[in-house]
Amino acid sequence: MFEAHFQTFEEPESGVALTARLSAFREELARRKLTGFVIPRADQQQNEYVAPSEERLAWLTGFTGSAGMAVVLTQQAAVFVDGRYTLQAAKQVDHKAWSVEPLADPPPENWLARHLIAGDRLGFDPWLHTSAAAERLAAACAKAGAELVAVDTNPLDSIWTERPPPPLAPAAVHGTQFSGEIEAEKLNRIRSEIAKLGVDALVLSDSHAVAWSFNIRGADVSHTPLPLSYALVPKDGRPTIFIDHRKLSNSVRDHLEATADVEEPDALAPKLTALAQGGASIALDSITAADALSRLIVAAGGKPVRGNDPVSLLKAVKNPTEIEGTRRAHRRDAVALARFLAWIDREAPSGALTEIDAVEALETFRRETGALKDVSFPTIAGTGPNGAIVHYRVTRKSNRRISPGDLLLIDSGAQYEDGTTDVTRTIAIGEPTAEMRDRFTRVLRGHIAIARAIFPDGTTGAQLDTLARQFLWQAGIDFEHGTGHGVGSYLSVHEGPARISKLGTTPLKRGMILSNEPGYYKTDAYGIRIENLELVVGTDIAAAEKPVNTFETLTLAPIDRSLINLNMLSGEELDWVNDYHARVRHAVRPHVDEATKVWLDAATAPLSL
């Protein structure tokens, strides 16, 4: 019916191939006199989405989630995943070869301390771990009397004979009509931060930071418009960008060379070494900088200064051009979403549609805007029990028919040059049960509590997180993920440093964009999530003694009225739903066909007790 351009539905490899790979890997470790090895789900920059050439964890284990780690020892092997991926890993990993363990509580180091023995040599690739991660591994080894060994070349790459080549997508200039600020101004702000740090130079090890700082974009990884690259910004003088020259057209090279020197990626190590040999202190991002960079600086006589990448916070606070761009992107996205939701409402009750049909249809409606660059992550379309898998990704094997009585959870987003979107809606196919409506309404009330929150400047995401959970907690239930993440401006859909979660310690600043996505998941039954993107804005309160903020909701898509138990809503909550739906109708109605208008009018009609 629909042609999918960005998403495939192939099942990851399993069975005999994976068994042979694990056996070959153990042989390679023995050849290198290693008794174990750590395989993170990571590339050199800790990107969420990685190039096919970096998918080592998936190639070895079959687990395809975006976060995880594996440890292979002589006799045991384990895959570590967080709460989002527990059900997925259980389905993808061979339990005869691997145990599935928690990634955070307790951490993998506990498992290592139990399974390593004195004299063991545990290998790791220092380009794929941060220094903090390497230190945790070293401590676990020390506790067991084992040794942590940094390898020069990754043993897994030695047996991955069909490993894809590194990506070489062309880079592009991200014009000031989208970025709102020229590179020279951004560099002045970055140098001001370098001065505050009191260091001689800053390494931008995060390609997002390079892309933002120098106003470039690319396509080296799926779903995020990144040109994989590094930069070195000295406190004085020209910065250097390290990027494969094959990605640069003459015009892009001219753009970069207006403010920076341009070198090949393999020039980074000698450039850092030369700087460090003079005793320089060099700032590294503790979240994305590879341990190999710290080791290189120390070996040359320099001082690595690990901490937060200052560009991360600069990038998170959007300027007026970026804010207006994201509003425009959400209005455009809203038209595609309305067409999709009307189509689902019309077609799904027949029982003829599948999850893949839903994914392909939504992508098609977005493509028909004429502005879609990519989906911002693989669309999650889970019906019935698949909806309970938080980061479910449909394959041809798991593809389920959408049937009356199901809840369909669809979490999707788009990359447009003027903004990045991310939205989740839960749709009742036919008549929902009383329990479904109860759970949905508790999730909705938490969502509204975040959307209506008023909070003093300096409030953190951790302080707001409880608002989203309070009504679920009252029923003795919860959800095992954060309430919200930061979102970039035609960059990563999952952007730091701010987030709304129990771990969200960064103060929320005006201009930040965050998701608001509480949920509820009943294993083997259904999943519920409601997600809008929110912009932090100032608000006026009479006699306020300090600056006060609130949220402006950017996402414009109807919330399924049939799933709301009106008796559970307060008057203010009911007003919020009706006001929100009036906004959606006003923004979308002029831009859709007559059939979608009829559906939209019904889907956004005022509710009353």
Side-chain angles (χ1 to χ4, degrees):
M1 185 195 315
F2 297 100
E3 180 190 354
H5 282 196
F6 296 120
Q7 194 162 337
T8 60
F9 307 98
E10 301 315 311
E11 191 71 19
E13 291 181 275
S14 60
V16 174
L18 295 185
T19 304
R21 286 172 194 174
L22 181 57
S23 177
F25 187 55
R26 283 191 165 121
E27 287 174 17
E28 180 64 18
L29 294 183
R31 194 181 68 76
R32 296 188 183 209
K33 298 184 170 50
L34 295 172
T35 51
F37 200 79
V38 184
I39 306 101
R41 200 286 182 173
D43 62 8
Q44 291 190 7
Q45 300 180 322
Q46 305 297 313
N47 282 308
E48 177 182 11
Y49 297 109
V50 301
S53 57
E54 304 300 310
E55 289 280 14
R56 295 176 182 86
L57 183 65
W59 184 82
L60 186 65
T61 69
F63 170 66
T64 59
S66 67
M69 189 172 100
V71 177
V72 175
L73 301 179
T74 307
Q75 299 298 329
Q76 296 96 5
V79 176
F80 301 86
V81 299
D82 65 27
R84 297 171 297 168
Y85 291 118
T86 307
L87 296 177
Q88 178 178 328
K91 289 180 165 66
Q92 291 184 329
V93 169
D94 178 2
H95 291 269
K96 291 195 284 292
W98 304 87
S99 63
V100 176
E101 308 286 345
L103 186 61
D105 188 19
E109 291 77 27
N110 288 29
W111 186 92
L112 278 168
R114 287 200 316 274
H115 289 87
L116 290 170
I117 59 173
D120 273 349
R121 300 180 80 246
L122 180 70
F124 83 111
D125 184 339
W127 282 103
L128 301 180
H129 298 259
T130 64
S131 292
E135 286 162 5
R136 290 193 297 270
L137 291 173
C141 287
K143 192 178 286 188
E147 178 189 359
L148 183 66
V149 180
V151 299
D152 293 329
T153 59
N154 195 309
L156 190 143
D157 296 349
S158 299
I159 64 163
W160 190 359
T161 53
E162 296 176 358
R163 184 180 171 209
L168 283 175
V173 175
H174 192 56
T176 49
Q177 74 271 33
F178 301 121
S179 69
E181 187 178 12
I182 63 172
E183 307 80 66
E185 290 171 357
K186 290 182 176 182
L187 285 167
N188 284 339
R189 292 205 282 148
I190 293 168
R191 285 202 180 90
S192 171
E193 296 298 323
I194 292 172
K196 288 180 197 171
L197 291 171
V199 295
D200 297 301
L202 166 69
V203 175
L204 298 185
S205 53
D206 181 356
S207 289
H208 301 84
V210 180
W212 179 86
S213 301
F214 296 96
N215 288 329
I216 55 170
R217 297 295 189 267
D220 281 337
V221 301
S222 301
H223 315 309
T224 306
L226 285 184
L228 293 176
S229 50
Y230 289 87
L232 180 63
V233 185
K235 63 180 181 182
D236 303 305
R238 280 166 71 84
T240 305
I241 297 168
F242 304 91
I243 184 168
D244 193 309
H245 286 47
R246 290 172 291 178
K247 299 175 187 177
L248 305 179
S249 65
N250 289 340
S251 60
V252 174
R253 177 187 286 279
D254 289 345
H255 166 82
L256 292 176
E257 288 182 342
T259 50
D261 296 332
V262 182
E263 302 265 9
E264 292 285 353
D266 59 12
L268 174 63
K271 192 103 174 179
L272 268 184
T273 299
L275 191 58
Q277 281 170 343
S281 55
I282 302 169
L284 295 174
D285 177 20
S286 56
I287 295 172
T288 65
D291 186 49
L293 295 173
S294 281
R295 289 168 174 264
L296 188 152
I297 293 166
V298 170
K303 181 187 175 191
V305 180
R306 285 155 44 194
N308 296 328
D309 177 0
V311 174
S312 180
L313 192 54
L314 297 176
K315 173 165 55 69
V317 177
K318 310 301 185 280
N319 63 42
T321 301
E322 291 171 318
I323 289 169
E324 190 44 53
T326 202
R327 288 187 181 123
R328 194 165 54 243
H330 278 85
R331 289 194 294 269
R332 180 188 308 120
D333 210 45
V335 174
L337 286 164
R339 294 179 64 205
F340 168 76
L341 291 169
W343 175 82
I344 280 283
D345 189 60
R346 191 168 61 244
E347 301 292 338
S350 71
L353 295 182
T354 67
E355 293 165 339
I356 288 178
D357 292 331
V359 172
E360 293 185 334
L362 180 49
E363 189 176 307
T364 298
F365 289 128
R366 283 194 166 116
R367 226 172 21 249
E368 288 173 357
T369 65
L372 184 68
K373 293 294 185 180
D374 197 346
V375 293
S376 54
F377 56 95
T379 298
I380 298 165
T383 186
N386 288 343
I389 302 171
V390 177
H391 273 211
Y392 171 69
R393 184 172 177 179
V394 59
T395 66
R396 300 201 187 282
K397 185 176 175 183
S398 70
N399 188 27
R400 194 172 186 274
R401 198 163 291 284
I402 301 167
S403 303
D406 277 354
L407 293 185
L408 172 64
L409 186 156
I410 188 139
D411 184 351
S412 70
Q415 291 284 12
Y416 304 109
E417 279 187 288
D418 49 4
T420 300
T421 71
D422 183 0
V423 50
T424 309
R425 288 297 180 264
T426 305
I427 305 154
I429 310 301
E431 185 66 26
T433 65
E435 180 191 90
M436 288 173 176
R437 296 177 77 228
D438 174 273
R439 299 310 194 237
F440 182 90
T441 308
R442 290 178 189 277
V443 171
L444 175 62
R445 295 184 74 194
H447 178 93
I448 294 170
I450 294 288
R452 295 181 64 238
I454 295 172
F455 48 95
D457 213 30
T459 299
T460 67
Q463 291 171 291
L464 296 181
D465 184 72
T466 309
L467 296 177
R469 300 176 189 272
Q470 57 184 314
F471 305 105
L472 293 164
W473 286 355
Q474 287 169 9
I477 53 181
D478 201 358
F479 54 94
E480 295 298 318
H481 56 75
T483 298
H485 53 82
V487 177
S489 178
Y490 190 45
L491 271 175
S492 175
V493 76
H494 300 128
E495 179 178 87
R499 51 182 166 165
I500 303 172
S501 84
K502 297 169 187 176
L503 304 174
T505 56
T506 299
L508 306 188
K509 293 177 178 287
R510 295 175 188 181
M512 287 180 169
I513 298 171
L514 299 111
S515 67
N516 168 12
E517 50 179 312
Y520 170 73
Y521 311 92
K522 186 173 183 179
T523 302
D524 295 329
Y526 58 84
I528 294 166
R529 189 159 63 249
I530 305 168
E531 177 186 19
N532 287 341
L533 297 192
E534 313 280 357
L535 172 69
V536 182
V537 295
T539 187
D540 293 323
I541 294 182
E545 295 180 358
K546 54 169 66 177
V548 177
N549 298 329
T550 188
F551 290 116
E552 173 194 326
T553 299
L554 296 168
T555 307
L556 297 165
I559 294 165
D560 192 338
R561 294 155 78 257
S562 74
L563 278 164
I564 302 173
N565 182 338
L566 293 178
N567 295 323
M568 294 171 67
L569 295 187
S570 69
E572 288 180 326
E573 290 165 340
L574 183 61
D575 288 344
W576 183 91
V577 173
N578 286 335
D579 290 347
Y580 176 69
H581 276 158
R583 272 189 68 206
V584 172
R585 188 167 59 252
H586 176 76
V588 175
R589 199 175 193 280
H591 306 289
V592 293
D593 57 88
E594 286 304 316
T596 305
K597 279 178 184 167
V598 171
W599 173 86
L600 183 68
D601 289 344
T604 60
L607 292 162
S608 58
L609 289 169

